[in-house]
Amino acid sequence: MAFTLTVNGKVDTDCNVTEQEIRTSTPGRKSKELIIQLDDVIGIETNESEFSTSTNQSKTTKPKCLCKVHYIKRKKTVWKQETLSVTGQAEECQRFISQLQPNFKKVYDTRPKRLLVLVNPISGGRYGQSNSKKIVPLFELAGIACDVKVSDRAKHFIEMVSEYDFTTVDGIVVFGGDGSFSEVLGSLLRVTHEKAGLDYNDMNGPLTSNSVPIGIIPSGTGNGISVAQYGNYDTVTAALHIIKGNTRKIPLMAEYCEDELVGYATVVSAYGLFADMMYETDQKRWMRRARYIVMPIYSIFFKTQRLFEAEITLTGSQLCKPDDEEGKTKEETISGEFSMVAFFPAKVFGMTEGEVLVLIFRRTPSSHFFRLMLNMMKSEVVREEDFPTLTIRQPNSVRVKVNPKDLGENDFLNYLLNIDGEIHTMKKADLTVKSIPDAVNVFSSLHLYPYPDSQHSVSTTESTSPTGACAADT
């Protein structure tokens, strides 16, 4: 149905409303058309008091807004809130709203109505509180009620999640960084398994996905999970993804030691250098945010690398063993001294779902670490022939069995594990990492994970060099 209205100050604007979209056409020599999909409408505000007092707005006075349509405007992966302000004849505007609201209600009915909002006030630069004050009103504008809870101590999120009745909400939103998200997710998955009568410590048992979707508003130092879910670190973009209510499943890495779950990782996990570095960074809290720049530079460029002896066993169908049957599960063992073993969900780099991307570092020059990190940040291809001390594999599971060295007062370093930026202590230096596809239900409207416009960042199969991914280790 067509209407003639004043939209954003442009008089005699033609408006059409259908079940899918709002279409406006501005008159003039350079006619401009705007199309808003109803699925991108955030909310509709009406000036009821003006409708009840006036049927026709005077041309001699500044017209009052009768209706505001808040919607999503996209620029690549960044989403922003825009507003369509409607003035003019109250009767015509009323007919426009009467046509628009029933169509939008069909969209609104599919979206979350109530969210549990968990705020970490000390994450990153202490942005959790300020971001929540900015974003929660946006949720409310979209007609979403928020049960806001602020953590006041370490591991408080674990208590909140374990005690909460999730039948009362349609999702969880975390204001924090990767560590906060992992803490909430780990607690939620444990609760989900217990309610299903499953043992989450059984690495060979089934894993059930969380029924309550999770979203994150990036407010921490490390916000890799936000990039995976929304394509960037923008807080408004994250909120708008959650408002739309679309969900998808992302992979997970479950990590075990001594028949006990250590934790779940969605971005990265590491034993060795990165775990040591994260521990030392956490000890320098007096440096505030600067520690996240200073300590990595110190650890990589100025500190002698700590090497550990380990036997690394990889299992999976993607391991390059030409004599084996295609698709058959294969096993490979790599032994020696290493500075770090890092694990990523392979799908993060556009690889096969259900596998772990394993980067195995021997004594590695600082320049190689720096160049490797730059390549991965830019989503550029990483090949073994470019990094002689690096071994790349793509198994379904990996076991790292360490022969601990006597480190004196630093002996605890033998048992540290970095999971999504948080330090965990293992009972024994014996770690098993398993990839679990489609394990986590998250709010996201992205269809690719997470680099829609880039090539694969790590090459494990195309190397032609003797030091390539399929070559034997020396």
Side-chain angles (χ1 to χ4, degrees):
M1 183 178 292
F3 305 90
T4 302
L5 300 164
T6 300
V7 178
N8 291 343
K10 303 294 183 180
V11 298
D12 298 328
T13 299
D14 292 330
C15 298
N16 285 276
V17 177
T18 69
E19 292 185 355
Q20 290 79 36
E21 66 185 24
I22 305 170
R23 187 184 295 260
T24 70
S25 180
T26 305
R29 294 175 57 186
K30 294 183 178 180
S31 179
K32 187 176 181 181
E33 188 176 64
L34 173 65
I35 300 174
I36 303 171
Q37 300 296 323
L38 287 190
D39 188 48
D40 282 342
V41 172
I42 301 167
I44 301 170
E45 288 185 288
T46 58
N47 191 340
E48 298 297 338
S49 61
E50 186 65 23
F51 278 124
S52 62
T53 59
S54 174
T55 58
N56 213 344
Q57 296 197 35
S58 172
K59 295 182 179 179
T60 61
T61 60
K62 185 177 180 180
K64 296 181 180 180
C65 181
L66 299 178
C67 171
K68 290 183 179 180
V69 179
H70 304 282
Y71 65 97
I72 298 170
K73 183 177 180 180
R74 292 177 172 85
K75 186 175 182 180
K76 295 185 177 180
T77 62
V78 177
W79 296 6
K80 296 297 181 184
Q81 174 194 348
E82 293 287 341
T83 300
L84 204 68
S85 298
V86 179
T87 59
Q89 292 188 353
E91 182 178 348
E92 183 76 348
C93 187
Q94 183 70 71
R95 292 198 302 116
F96 167 74
I97 295 170
S98 298
Q99 178 74 18
L100 174 60
Q101 285 181 326
N103 291 329
F104 174 63
K105 186 177 185 302
K106 296 175 184 177
V107 175
Y108 173 76
D109 287 345
T110 66
R111 293 179 173 178
K113 305 297 183 298
R114 182 175 171 81
L115 296 170
L116 169 62
V117 175
L118 301 175
V119 180
N120 183 349
I122 63 171
S123 64
R126 300 179 182 267
Y127 295 127
Q129 284 275 48
S130 59
N131 283 342
S132 67
K133 291 177 182 178
K134 178 178 69 173
I135 296 300
V136 168
L138 185 56
F139 288 146
E140 294 171 346
L141 179 64
I144 301 174
C146 296
D147 183 9
V148 181
K149 296 183 179 297
V150 181
S151 67
D152 56 22
R153 59 185 179 277
K155 309 299 181 184
H156 194 189
F157 282 158
I158 295 176
E159 297 177 31
M160 292 180 182
V161 172
S162 62
E163 298 170 356
Y164 201 81
D165 179 8
F166 288 103
T167 62
T168 64
V169 294
D170 302 310
I172 305 171
V173 177
V174 181
F175 283 80
D178 294 341
S180 298
F181 182 92
S182 292
E183 187 174 302
V184 172
L185 173 63
S187 182
L188 180 62
L189 287 178
R190 285 174 169 86
V191 169
T192 301
H193 279 74
E194 288 173 350
K195 289 183 177 179
L198 300 174
D199 182 7
Y200 52 76
N201 288 314
D202 182 3
M203 72 171 67
N204 297 314
L207 186 142
T208 179
S209 177
N210 55 302
S211 58
V212 182
I214 306 179
I216 184 168
I217 306 297
S219 308
T221 303
N223 296 298
I225 294 171
S226 176
V227 175
Q229 292 184 216
Y230 319 120
N232 55 53
Y233 307 114
D234 183 64
T235 56
V236 173
T237 298
L240 296 176
H241 274 271
I242 294 166
I243 287 170
K244 283 174 71 71
N246 294 328
T247 63
R248 65 190 177 101
K249 298 288 185 69
I250 64 173
L252 185 73
M253 294 184 300
E255 316 204 4
Y256 304 88
C257 175
E258 289 282 272
D259 296 322
E260 185 175 309
L261 177 71
V262 181
Y264 299 105
T266 56
V267 176
V268 61
S269 180
Y271 179 87
L273 175 62
F274 279 6
D276 297 356
M277 182 174 68
M278 187 55 62
Y279 171 80
E280 292 175 355
T281 300
D282 196 54
Q283 303 306 302
K284 300 293 189 294
R285 287 185 173 271
W286 57 269
M287 297 175 65
R288 300 182 68 83
R289 287 180 67 89
R291 70 186 188 273
Y292 293 105
I293 299 174
V294 174
M295 294 312 296
I297 292 175
Y298 168 73
S299 298
I300 293 175
F301 292 99
F302 300 103
K303 188 177 180 181
T304 302
Q305 293 179 25
R306 178 178 73 87
L307 299 180
F308 58 89
E309 295 180 1
E311 179 182 270
I312 302 173
T313 305
L314 307 111
T315 306
S317 60
Q318 292 297 314
L319 298 174
C320 298
K321 296 230 175 178
D323 295 334
D324 291 337
E325 297 178 15
E326 185 176 351
K328 182 180 178 181
T329 300
K330 310 174 186 73
E331 187 172 286
E332 179 183 5
T333 300
I334 304 173
S335 300
E337 276 197 326
F338 309 96
S339 62
M340 181 175 66
V341 184
F343 316 95
F344 306 83
K347 195 178 179 184
V348 169
F349 297 96
M351 296 178 180
T352 305
E353 174 77 87
E355 293 167 354
V356 182
L357 175 63
V358 183
L359 304 185
I360 303 171
F361 296 85
R362 298 183 186 275
R363 188 187 295 274
T364 303
S366 301
S367 58
H368 284 193
F369 267 122
F370 181 72
R371 188 155 52 90
L372 177 67
M373 287 190 292
L374 283 180
N375 281 13
M376 297 183 74
M377 289 172 62
K378 296 177 182 178
S379 301
E380 295 179 353
V381 174
V382 176
R383 294 187 176 90
E384 286 186 359
E385 58 262 36
D386 299 326
F387 301 92
T389 61
L390 173 64
T391 299
I392 304 173
R393 293 292 185 269
Q394 192 179 339
N396 299 105
S397 65
V398 56
R399 180 181 181 184
V400 181
K401 189 175 182 180
V402 179
N403 181 19
K405 295 181 179 180
D406 184 1
L407 302 177
E409 62 180 12
N410 292 323
D411 197 59
F412 63 91
L413 294 176
N414 286 310
Y415 309 98
L416 296 187
L417 179 65
N418 179 352
I419 299 180
D420 285 345
E422 293 293 305
I423 289 297
H424 296 253
T425 301
M426 300 181 290
K427 294 180 178 179
K428 188 177 180 181
D430 191 345
L431 171 69
T432 298
V433 180
K434 289 186 63 177
S435 178
I436 306 173
D438 296 334
V440 184
N441 194 22
V442 299
F443 285 113
S444 177
S445 295
L446 292 184
H447 299 292
L448 296 176
Y449 180 104
Y451 303 114
D453 300 318
S454 66
Q455 56 185 331
H456 298 174
S457 301
V458 180
S459 173
T460 63
T461 58
E462 297 180 355
S463 174
T464 56
S465 167
T467 57
C470 300
D473 284 87
T474 57

